[in-house]
Amino acid sequence: MATTVLDPTHAHAAKRSAVVEWLTTVDHKKIGILYGASAFIFFLIGGLEALIIRTQLMKPDNTLVSPEMYNQLFTMHGTTMIFLAVMPLSAMFFNFFVPLLIGARDVAFPRLNAMSFWVFLLGGLFLNASFLMGAAPNGGWFGYAPLSSRQFAGGLNMDFWVIGLQILGIASLAAGVNFFTTILNMRAPGMTLMRMPMFVWMTLITQILVLLSFPVITVALIMLMADRTFGSSFFSWAGGGDPMLWQHLFWVFGHPEVYILILPAFGIISEILPVFSRKPLFGYSAMVFSGAFIAFLGFGVWSHHMFSTGMGPLADSFFSLMTMLIAIPTGVKIFNWIGTIWGGSVQLKTPMWFALGFIAMFIIGGLSGVMHSVAPADLQQTDSYFVVAHFHYVLFGGSIFALTAGGYYWWPKMFGRMLDEKLGMTHFWLMLVGFNLTFFPMHFAGLLGMPRRIYTYPAGLGFELYNMMATAGAFLLGISFLVFIVNVIKTWRGPANAPADPWGGATLEWAIPSPPQEFNFPKLITVHEKDALWQMKREAGVSRLPEPDLVSGKGIHMPGPSWWPLVVAFGILIFFIGFMMKDPWAFPFRPVNILGFAITTFGIFKWAYEAPDAHAPQH
């Protein structure tokens, strides 16, 4: 590869403080790191909420927390894990690696990308600020109307939830537009759709799901906000509305949301298994089409969450069939992952162990999911701890195991440091044992009749042993992530020792230095096959390419930093806070909304007329 003397990336950057650098960055890699750091902190907060919940349920008739606090904890645990942890952790990989995997220098809209992050972060802080005001959301992460209406939830609790999700939805939609456009328009020369890495394919399908499903929950939240703020009756029988309408709208969004959470995990695993098996991904085309088929079917199964509402045999039969059908493309993926490993030269490094753990845990979660597709069985399991076990096997055993695998796999590329292998293995085994000790006993507690979201339970019902085991497992899970934090601190204090291609990778991100320079690729690469880097190595007759040198970015235009994405995000937050006012026509209402609207409009105006290279690097 071309070698030149390093030209300091940005002379002007050194003049700015590190804080200003991160606040104004539009570099997709830095934004990816911001997403990862924020989401991991939210993940720890959600985990702490889970530990308090599990401690409360550790023994019968426990009174560690009040019933009201318990309602707030399980509502915020679910909301935090789904919207503030798993989705943005996936966004970390979208931001950092999609441009690298497709051989691009940036995303399509760098400043929109920055705005998405700041809107997400401010929305997450807004939701958690509810604890400081003693009014955390308390109506469940699904916000069922009419329980979430003003009649039954009169405080600010559910206002925080409704408005917080509206703000987060803006961030998700903006990111969806950005990555959809980036993948379709900015691929390297020769990278056809059927030569894209599998993670890019799963990202593209995920963005389509986001763009189609988030408008549904946005409309539902606007209707609920109108009921709570303006006294309309979309979900109230008394005013001619229909509470079932909320459930339909929520789950039309909610079930595709499951695939928004799990499809990126499928993509990560599909990148790791070939590299550590030293074989191309088995059945690439089948993997692409099965992912698309899962997404398509994801919009036809929402009512399997509502079998117990009495929809009738025809609707129950249709949604049972559609739910069973999803097992087919999912089974194809599992078959192809096993086929990739089969006969390969398997290297059992930490990312590979987490990938194997993902497959095993996701199979268990998938099998219990098929059980829910049978309406008579579902009627027995609905709202029991069996369901809690099922979705944690899918979302934790699936998404979190895969995201952790991706973290260990791509950490050297992101930070230029190799994580400690022994601590990584300790993390894996503690997490695997802790996870199964936590959630597998919940199947039995649920089959014995333990309801979900229950504050406490009397002794003698047979729940004690299973809850004690689940609580012990939850603390073991917590310890496993402490090991990960120790690993990060230890590694960070050590030297930057990661080569460009530590695992013998197959895709383009491993062709550039670790961590990458701001412009990613000094010269755009022409792609001729899938697994483009493996093809380059074959042509060169080597197992690893020479270590690439840092090169000058002279002549490469990159967008400069900007304050305006942060200003626009702040204006959006202020605008929505205006809806917290109880009386819509009281004095504070219109001024707060108008102030937020004015800040947003001013920010957009300045953003639009800011010269693209106003603060750009001078090479």
Side-chain angles (χ1 to χ4, degrees):
M1 291 191 174
T3 302
T4 64
V5 178
L6 172 65
D7 187 20
T9 308
H10 295 146
H12 76 293
K15 298 177 182 176
R16 297 196 304 270
S17 72
V19 173
V20 172
E21 185 79 13
W22 284 93
L23 288 174
T24 59
T25 185
V26 297
D27 182 347
H28 69 92
K29 298 178 289 298
K30 287 185 176 178
I31 292 171
I33 292 170
L34 288 171
Y35 263 112
S38 306
F40 188 68
I41 292 171
F42 284 129
F43 177 75
L44 294 180
I45 293 172
L48 180 62
E49 291 160 355
L51 289 180
I52 299 173
I53 292 170
R54 284 312 322 162
T55 306
Q56 165 65 23
L57 295 175
M58 180 174 60
K59 63 180 184 178
D61 299 316
N62 201 3
T63 56
L64 175 70
V65 295
S66 67
E68 171 59 21
M69 176 54 70
Y70 185 82
N71 288 344
Q72 294 180 13
L73 286 170
F74 81 70
T75 300
M76 282 300 291
H77 169 70
T79 303
T80 298
M81 287 303 191
I82 291 171
F83 296 104
L84 304 181
V86 177
M87 278 187 74
L89 281 172
S90 297
M92 170 182 71
F93 293 122
F94 299 158
N95 272 279
F96 202 105
F97 286 104
V98 164
L100 300 183
L101 285 162
I102 63 175
R105 291 202 172 105
D106 209 331
V107 295
F109 309 113
R111 292 179 185 175
L112 184 66
N113 201 26
M115 190 208 77
S116 299
F117 167 73
W118 292 117
V119 172
F120 149 72
L121 181 62
L122 293 176
L125 294 175
F126 171 80
L127 268 170
N128 282 277
S130 61
F131 278 116
L132 302 178
M133 297 184 66
N138 56 0
W141 78 274
F142 34 79
Y144 277 169
L147 292 177
S148 53
S149 66
R150 183 71 69 193
Q151 179 183 3
F152 298 103
L156 290 175
N157 307 66
M158 292 310 291
D159 287 327
F160 272 107
W161 186 81
V162 172
I163 293 171
L165 260 58
Q166 288 283 38
I167 296 171
L168 294 173
I170 292 171
S172 298
L173 284 168
V177 169
N178 208 348
F179 285 101
F180 182 80
T181 310
T182 299
I183 294 170
L184 291 185
N185 290 286
M186 299 183 69
R187 301 189 306 277
M191 182 175 280
T192 62
L193 288 176
M194 295 308 285
R195 289 176 182 167
M196 290 198 308
M198 191 54 62
F199 180 69
V200 180
W201 256 115
M202 293 303 108
T203 302
L204 177 63
I205 294 171
T206 300
Q207 305 315 317
I208 294 171
L209 284 175
V210 167
L211 295 174
L212 293 178
S213 67
F214 267 75
V216 179
I217 191 65
T218 300
V219 169
L221 289 169
I222 290 172
M223 293 162 72
L224 183 57
M225 194 160 66
D227 278 8
R228 292 182 59 80
T229 306
F230 301 108
S232 60
S233 302
F234 288 108
F235 305 115
S236 170
W237 283 114
D242 185 354
M244 290 295 293
L245 177 61
W246 171 265
Q247 291 201 37
H248 281 293
L249 290 173
F250 183 82
W251 289 115
V252 167
F253 151 78
H255 206 82
E257 170 69 12
V258 173
Y259 301 109
I260 289 170
L261 299 175
I262 200 65
L263 284 172
F266 289 175
I268 292 169
I269 297 303
S270 300
E271 297 299 331
I272 293 174
L273 293 178
V275 170
F276 289 93
S277 301
R278 292 291 182 264
K279 282 177 61 187
L281 184 67
F282 179 73
Y284 172 89
S285 300
M287 293 288 271
V288 171
F289 290 116
S290 62
F293 196 40
I294 288 171
F296 174 75
L297 289 177
F299 280 99
V301 299
W302 80 87
S303 277
H304 77 213
H305 294 271
M306 301 166 61
F307 284 145
S308 60
T309 61
M311 295 185 298
L314 182 61
D316 285 357
S317 301
F318 173 79
F319 287 104
S320 287
L321 178 62
M322 295 295 285
T323 306
M324 290 178 191
L325 281 177
I326 280 194
I328 296 173
T330 307
V332 168
K333 284 191 171 292
I334 294 170
F335 173 77
N336 284 2
W337 288 326
I338 295 173
T340 303
I341 303 167
W342 190 269
S345 179
V346 177
Q347 295 181 331
L348 291 174
K349 301 289 187 181
T350 302
M352 187 64 169
W353 275 112
F354 275 102
L356 295 174
F358 157 85
I359 294 174
M361 299 303 101
F362 186 74
I363 287 175
I364 296 173
L367 289 175
S368 59
V370 174
M371 294 171 68
H372 295 309
S373 69
V374 182
D378 183 83
L379 290 173
Q380 299 299 314
Q381 297 157 2
T382 291
D383 282 340
S384 75
Y385 250 73
F386 191 94
V387 176
V388 178
H390 158 68
F391 70 69
H392 277 92
Y393 264 91
V394 172
L395 294 184
F396 197 119
S399 292
I400 298 297
F401 266 80
L403 290 168
T404 310
Y408 278 95
Y409 178 59
W410 277 315
W411 188 273
K413 182 55 60 181
M414 294 176 73
F415 300 106
R417 289 171 165 80
M418 301 296 293
L419 288 170
D420 185 272
E421 188 69 12
K422 289 183 179 177
L423 286 173
M425 292 304 302
T426 306
H427 178 191
F428 169 73
W429 286 110
L430 285 175
M431 186 165 149
L432 185 73
V433 174
F435 172 78
N436 283 286
L437 188 59
T438 304
F439 297 108
F440 204 77
M442 291 183 186
H443 291 104
F444 301 103
L447 292 175
L448 284 174
M450 181 171 169
R452 66 196 290 193
R453 301 186 286 273
I454 189 173
Y455 165 65
T456 188
Y457 51 90
L461 296 179
F463 303 157
E464 294 91 334
L465 175 62
Y466 300 123
N467 278 292
M468 183 65 77
M469 293 170 66
T471 302
F475 277 92
L476 198 58
L477 262 180
I479 292 170
S480 76
F481 281 95
L482 290 180
V483 173
F484 173 70
I485 293 171
V486 170
N487 199 347
V488 169
I489 294 172
K490 177 187 175 185
T491 306
W492 202 255
R493 297 174 65 179
N497 57 354
D501 185 17
W503 312 119
T507 40
L508 293 177
E509 77 273 30
W510 305 111
I512 54 179
S514 302
Q517 293 174 268
E518 184 175 354
F519 43 84
N520 296 344
F521 298 91
K523 182 180 178 183
L524 294 183
I525 298 173
T526 299
V527 174
H528 301 286
E529 294 182 14
K530 298 192 301 289
D531 301 328
L533 189 61
W534 276 356
Q535 181 244 337
M536 290 164 63
K537 293 174 187 175
R538 280 197 303 272
E539 290 179 351
V542 297
S543 58
R544 276 186 169 77
L545 294 173
E547 195 68 15
D549 294 302
L550 296 174
V551 299
S552 169
K554 187 175 182 180
I556 299 175
H557 171 75
M558 298 299 294
S562 174
W563 284 101
W564 301 115
L566 178 57
V567 171
V568 171
F570 184 69
I572 290 172
L573 175 69
I574 297 297
F575 173 77
F576 276 99
I577 285 177
F579 291 103
M580 298 285 286
M581 310 306 165
K582 294 278 186 181
D583 182 352
W585 308 116
F587 169 74
F589 175 77
R590 279 174 288 183
V592 174
N593 287 109
I594 292 170
L595 175 64
F597 183 78
I599 294 173
T600 305
T601 305
F602 178 72
I604 292 173
F605 179 82
K606 296 295 289 184
W607 171 349
Y609 284 93
E610 186 178 34
D613 55 354
H615 309 285
Q618 302 300 315
H619 296 288

Coordinates of all heavy atoms in Angstrom, one line a residue, residues 419-462:
L419 N -8.4 -6.0 23.2 CA -8.9 -6.3 24.6 C -8.2 -7.6 25.1 O -7.8 -8.5 24.3 CB -10.4 -6.5 24.5 CG -11.2 -5.2 24.3 CD1 -12.7 -5.6 24.1 CD2 -11.1 -4.3 25.6
D420 N -8.1 -7.7 26.4 CA -7.5 -8.8 27.0 C -8.3 -10.1 26.8 O -9.5 -10.2 27.1 CB -7.3 -8.6 28.5 CG -6.5 -9.7 29.2 OD1 -7.1 -10.7 29.6 OD2 -5.3 -9.6 29.3
E421 N -7.7 -11.2 26.3 CA -8.4 -12.4 25.9 C -8.9 -13.1 27.2 O -10.0 -13.6 27.2 CB -7.5 -13.3 25.1 CG -8.1 -14.5 24.5 CD -9.1 -14.1 23.4 OE1 -9.2 -13.0 22.9 OE2 -9.9 -15.1 23.0
K422 N -8.1 -13.2 28.2 CA -8.5 -13.9 29.4 C -9.7 -13.3 30.1 O -10.6 -13.9 30.5 CB -7.3 -14.1 30.4 CG -6.2 -15.0 29.9 CD -5.1 -15.1 31.0 CE -4.1 -16.1 30.5 NZ -2.9 -16.2 31.5
L423 N -9.6 -11.9 30.2 CA -10.8 -11.2 30.8 C -12.0 -11.4 29.9 O -13.1 -11.4 30.4 CB -10.4 -9.7 31.0 CG -9.4 -9.4 32.1 CD1 -9.0 -8.0 32.1 CD2 -10.1 -9.8 33.5
G424 N -11.8 -11.4 28.6 CA -12.9 -11.6 27.6 C -13.6 -12.9 27.9 O -14.8 -13.0 27.9
M425 N -12.7 -14.0 28.0 CA -13.3 -15.3 28.3 C -14.0 -15.4 29.6 O -15.1 -16.0 29.8 CB -12.2 -16.4 28.2 CG -11.6 -16.5 26.8 SD -12.9 -16.9 25.6 CE -13.5 -18.4 26.3
T426 N -13.5 -14.7 30.6 CA -14.1 -14.6 31.9 C -15.5 -13.9 31.8 O -16.5 -14.4 32.3 CB -13.3 -13.9 32.9 OG1 -12.0 -14.5 33.0 CG2 -13.9 -13.9 34.3
H427 N -15.5 -12.8 31.0 CA -16.7 -12.1 30.8 C -17.8 -13.1 30.1 O -18.9 -13.1 30.6 CB -16.5 -10.9 29.9 CG -17.7 -10.1 29.5 ND1 -17.7 -9.2 28.5 CD2 -19.0 -10.2 29.9 CE1 -18.9 -8.7 28.4 NE2 -19.7 -9.2 29.2
F428 N -17.3 -13.8 29.1 CA -18.3 -14.7 28.4 C -18.9 -15.8 29.3 O -20.1 -15.9 29.3 CB -17.5 -15.4 27.2 CG -18.4 -16.5 26.6 CD1 -19.5 -16.2 25.8 CD2 -18.1 -17.8 26.9 CE1 -20.3 -17.2 25.3 CE2 -18.9 -18.8 26.3 CZ -19.9 -18.5 25.5
W429 N -18.0 -16.5 30.1 CA -18.6 -17.6 30.9 C -19.5 -17.1 32.0 O -20.5 -17.7 32.3 CB -17.5 -18.5 31.4 CG -16.9 -19.3 30.3 CD1 -15.6 -19.2 29.7 CD2 -17.5 -20.4 29.6 NE1 -15.4 -20.1 28.7 CE2 -16.6 -20.8 28.6 CE3 -18.8 -21.0 29.7 CZ2 -16.9 -21.9 27.7 CZ3 -19.1 -22.0 28.8 CH2 -18.1 -22.5 27.8
L430 N -19.1 -15.9 32.6 CA -19.9 -15.4 33.7 C -21.3 -14.9 33.1 O -22.3 -15.1 33.7 CB -19.3 -14.2 34.3 CG -18.1 -14.5 35.3 CD1 -17.5 -13.2 35.8 CD2 -18.6 -15.3 36.5
M431 N -21.2 -14.4 31.9 CA -22.5 -13.9 31.2 C -23.3 -15.0 30.8 O -24.6 -15.0 31.0 CB -22.1 -13.0 30.0 CG -23.3 -12.3 29.4 SD -22.6 -11.0 28.3 CE -23.9 -11.0 27.0
L432 N -22.7 -16.1 30.3 CA -23.5 -17.2 29.8 C -24.2 -17.9 31.0 O -25.4 -18.2 31.0 CB -22.6 -18.2 29.1 CG -23.3 -19.4 28.5 CD1 -24.1 -19.0 27.2 CD2 -22.4 -20.6 28.1
V433 N -23.4 -18.2 32.1 CA -24.0 -18.8 33.3 C -25.0 -17.9 33.9 O -26.2 -18.3 34.3 CB -22.9 -19.2 34.2 CG1 -23.5 -19.8 35.5 CG2 -22.0 -20.3 33.6
G434 N -24.7 -16.6 34.1 CA -25.6 -15.7 34.8 C -26.9 -15.5 34.0 O -28.0 -15.5 34.6
F435 N -26.7 -15.4 32.7 CA -27.9 -15.3 31.8 C -28.9 -16.4 32.0 O -30.1 -16.2 32.2 CB -27.5 -15.1 30.4 CG -28.7 -15.1 29.4 CD1 -29.5 -14.0 29.2 CD2 -29.0 -16.2 28.7 CE1 -30.5 -14.0 28.4 CE2 -30.0 -16.2 27.8 CZ -30.8 -15.1 27.6
N436 N -28.4 -17.6 31.9 CA -29.3 -18.8 31.9 C -29.8 -19.0 33.3 O -31.0 -19.5 33.5 CB -28.5 -20.1 31.5 CG -28.4 -20.1 30.0 OD1 -29.4 -20.4 29.3 ND2 -27.2 -19.8 29.4
L437 N -29.0 -18.7 34.4 CA -29.5 -18.8 35.7 C -30.6 -17.8 36.0 O -31.5 -18.0 36.8 CB -28.3 -18.6 36.7 CG -28.6 -18.8 38.2 CD1 -29.1 -20.3 38.4 CD2 -27.4 -18.6 39.0
T438 N -30.5 -16.6 35.3 CA -31.6 -15.6 35.5 C -32.9 -16.0 34.8 O -33.9 -15.9 35.4 CB -31.1 -14.2 34.9 OG1 -29.8 -13.9 35.6 CG2 -32.1 -13.2 35.2
F439 N -32.8 -16.3 33.5 CA -34.0 -16.4 32.7 C -34.6 -17.7 32.5 O -35.8 -17.9 32.3 CB -33.7 -15.7 31.4 CG -33.4 -14.2 31.5 CD1 -32.1 -13.7 31.3 CD2 -34.4 -13.3 32.0 CE1 -31.8 -12.4 31.5 CE2 -34.1 -12.0 32.2 CZ -32.8 -11.5 31.9
F440 N -33.7 -18.8 32.6 CA -34.4 -20.1 32.4 C -35.4 -20.5 33.5 O -36.4 -21.0 33.1 CB -33.3 -21.2 32.2 CG -33.8 -22.4 31.4 CD1 -33.9 -22.3 30.1 CD2 -34.2 -23.5 32.1 CE1 -34.3 -23.4 29.3 CE2 -34.7 -24.6 31.4 CZ -34.8 -24.6 30.0
P441 N -35.1 -20.2 34.7 CA -36.1 -20.6 35.8 C -37.4 -19.8 35.6 O -38.5 -20.3 36.1 CB -35.4 -20.1 37.1 CG -34.0 -20.2 36.8 CD -33.9 -19.7 35.4
M442 N -37.4 -18.7 34.9 CA -38.6 -17.9 34.7 C -39.6 -18.7 33.8 O -40.9 -18.5 34.0 CB -38.3 -16.6 34.0 CG -37.6 -15.6 34.9 SD -37.3 -14.0 34.0 CE -36.3 -13.2 35.2
H443 N -39.2 -19.6 33.0 CA -40.1 -20.5 32.2 C -41.0 -21.3 33.2 O -42.2 -21.3 33.1 CB -39.3 -21.5 31.3 CG -38.6 -20.8 30.2 ND1 -37.3 -20.6 30.2 CD2 -39.1 -20.4 29.0 CE1 -36.9 -20.1 29.0 NE2 -38.0 -19.9 28.3
F444 N -40.3 -21.8 34.2 CA -41.1 -22.7 35.2 C -42.0 -21.8 36.1 O -43.1 -22.2 36.4 CB -40.1 -23.5 36.0 CG -39.2 -24.4 35.2 CD1 -37.9 -24.0 35.0 CD2 -39.7 -25.5 34.6 CE1 -37.1 -24.9 34.2 CE2 -38.9 -26.4 33.9 CZ -37.6 -26.0 33.6
A445 N -41.5 -20.7 36.5 CA -42.3 -19.8 37.3 C -43.6 -19.4 36.5 O -44.7 -19.3 37.1 CB -41.5 -18.6 37.8
G446 N -43.4 -19.1 35.2 CA -44.5 -18.7 34.4 C -45.5 -19.8 34.2 O -46.7 -19.6 34.3
L447 N -45.0 -21.0 34.0 CA -45.9 -22.2 33.8 C -46.6 -22.5 35.1 O -47.7 -23.0 35.1 CB -45.1 -23.4 33.4 CG -44.5 -23.3 31.9 CD1 -43.7 -24.5 31.6 CD2 -45.7 -23.2 30.9
L448 N -46.1 -22.1 36.3 CA -46.8 -22.3 37.5 C -47.8 -21.2 37.8 O -48.6 -21.3 38.8 CB -45.8 -22.3 38.7 CG -44.9 -23.6 38.9 CD1 -43.9 -23.4 40.0 CD2 -45.9 -24.8 39.2
G449 N -47.8 -20.2 36.9 CA -48.8 -19.1 37.1 C -48.3 -17.8 37.6 O -49.2 -16.9 37.9
M450 N -47.0 -17.6 37.7 CA -46.5 -16.3 38.2 C -46.8 -15.2 37.1 O -46.2 -15.3 36.0 CB -45.1 -16.4 38.5 CG -44.5 -15.0 39.1 SD -42.8 -15.2 39.7 CE -42.4 -13.5 39.9
P451 N -47.5 -14.2 37.4 CA -47.8 -13.1 36.4 C -46.5 -12.2 36.2 O -45.7 -12.1 37.1 CB -48.9 -12.3 37.0 CG -49.4 -13.0 38.2 CD -48.3 -13.9 38.7
R452 N -46.4 -11.6 35.0 CA -45.4 -10.7 34.8 C -45.8 -9.3 35.5 O -46.9 -9.1 35.7 CB -45.1 -10.5 33.3 CG -46.2 -9.9 32.6 CD -46.1 -10.0 31.1 NE -45.1 -9.2 30.5 CZ -44.9 -9.0 29.2 NH1 -45.8 -9.5 28.4 NH2 -44.0 -8.3 28.7
R453 N -44.8 -8.5 35.7 CA -45.0 -7.1 36.2 C -45.7 -7.2 37.6 O -46.3 -6.2 38.1 CB -45.9 -6.3 35.3 CG -45.3 -6.1 33.9 CD -46.1 -5.1 33.1 NE -47.4 -5.7 32.6 CZ -47.5 -6.4 31.5 NH1 -46.5 -6.5 30.7 NH2 -48.7 -6.8 31.1
I454 N -45.5 -8.3 38.3 CA -46.1 -8.4 39.7 C -45.2 -7.8 40.7 O -44.0 -7.9 40.6 CB -46.4 -9.9 40.0 CG1 -47.2 -10.0 41.3 CG2 -45.1 -10.7 40.1 CD1 -47.6 -11.5 41.5
Y455 N -45.7 -7.0 41.6 CA -44.9 -6.3 42.6 C -44.3 -7.3 43.7 O -43.1 -7.2 44.0 CB -45.8 -5.2 43.3 CG -45.2 -4.7 44.6 CD1 -44.0 -4.0 44.5 CD2 -45.8 -4.9 45.8 CE1 -43.4 -3.4 45.7 CE2 -45.2 -4.4 47.0 CZ -44.1 -3.6 46.9 OH -43.5 -3.1 48.1
T456 N -45.1 -8.2 44.2 CA -44.7 -9.2 45.1 C -45.6 -10.4 45.0 O -46.6 -10.4 44.2 CB -44.5 -8.7 46.5 OG1 -43.9 -9.7 47.4 CG2 -45.9 -8.3 47.1
Y457 N -45.4 -11.4 45.8 CA -46.2 -12.6 45.8 C -46.2 -13.3 47.2 O -45.2 -13.1 47.9 CB -45.7 -13.6 44.7 CG -44.2 -13.9 44.9 CD1 -43.8 -15.0 45.7 CD2 -43.3 -13.1 44.3 CE1 -42.4 -15.2 45.8 CE2 -41.9 -13.3 44.4 CZ -41.5 -14.4 45.2 OH -40.2 -14.6 45.4
P458 N -47.3 -14.0 47.5 CA -47.3 -14.6 48.8 C -46.5 -15.9 48.8 O -46.2 -16.5 47.7 CB -48.8 -14.9 49.1 CG -49.3 -15.0 47.7 CD -48.6 -14.1 46.8
A459 N -46.0 -16.4 50.0 CA -45.3 -17.6 50.1 C -46.2 -18.8 49.8 O -47.4 -18.7 50.0 CB -44.7 -17.7 51.4
G460 N -45.6 -19.9 49.4 CA -46.4 -21.2 49.2 C -47.0 -21.4 47.8 O -47.6 -22.4 47.6
L461 N -46.7 -20.5 46.9 CA -47.2 -20.7 45.5 C -46.1 -21.5 44.6 O -46.4 -21.7 43.5 CB -47.5 -19.4 44.9 CG -48.6 -18.6 45.5 CD1 -48.9 -17.2 44.8 CD2 -49.9 -19.4 45.5
G462 N -45.0 -21.7 45.2 CA -44.0 -22.5 44.4 C -43.0 -21.5 43.6 O -42.3 -22.0 42.8

